[in-house]
Amino acid sequence: MGKSSLKRCDWCEEKTANDSQSNVFWELPDGSRAIQITGVPSVSCSHCGMEYQEEAVINEIEDQLMLIDTKSIDKVITYTKLMDHPRLLKKNYFRF
């Protein structure tokens, strides 16, 4: 197993970013409340200090929140449990 390679940071463009996990707050699609999602795949840059989620992760979370019964989830949920939550539809038909 090799050492993880550094990535280019989307913010400062230096090659000083690593994969990490973070806790985020997300507003539900209906605007009724916000939830905390723990253990979200993220990128952390040691140069500029930014910690962010890549576009693919953002889209996965947003799609999942559109496709599940959000009333059945607590105020805090892990990323894994959120992504494993049963969907009402197979996919987000609004994403082309």
Side-chain angles (χ1 to χ4, degrees):
M1 307 282 164
K3 188 171 138 181
S4 67
S5 60
L6 295 175
K7 302 170 106 170
R8 185 170 309 282
C9 175
D10 288 348
W11 293 88
C12 70
E13 298 184 353
E14 294 292 325
K15 197 168 183 175
T16 53
N18 287 300
D19 290 329
S20 65
Q21 291 186 348
S22 61
N23 300 331
V24 299
F25 290 90
W26 218 276
E27 184 176 355
L28 297 180
D30 65 2
S32 61
R33 63 188 171 116
I35 60 170
Q36 182 179 18
I37 308 170
T38 61
V40 177
S42 302
V43 176
S44 178
C45 179
S46 61
H47 179 73
C48 68
M50 287 300 294
E51 191 169 317
Y52 61 94
Q53 291 71 48
E54 294 179 306
E55 195 70 28
V57 173
I58 293 169
N59 288 339
E60 285 176 344
I61 292 171
E62 288 180 350
D63 284 350
Q64 185 69 353
L65 289 172
M66 289 285 292
L67 300 173
I68 65 172
D69 176 13
T70 56
K71 291 178 180 81
S72 66
I73 59 176
D74 292 326
K75 292 180 189 177
V76 179
I77 189 168
T78 67
Y79 174 79
T80 304
K81 283 186 181 180
L82 175 64
M83 299 316 287
D84 288 344
H85 201 282
R87 292 180 169 189
L88 301 172
L89 296 171
K90 289 184 180 187
K91 70 177 204 167
N92 182 354
Y93 294 98
F94 296 104
R95 189 176 300 282
F96 301 104

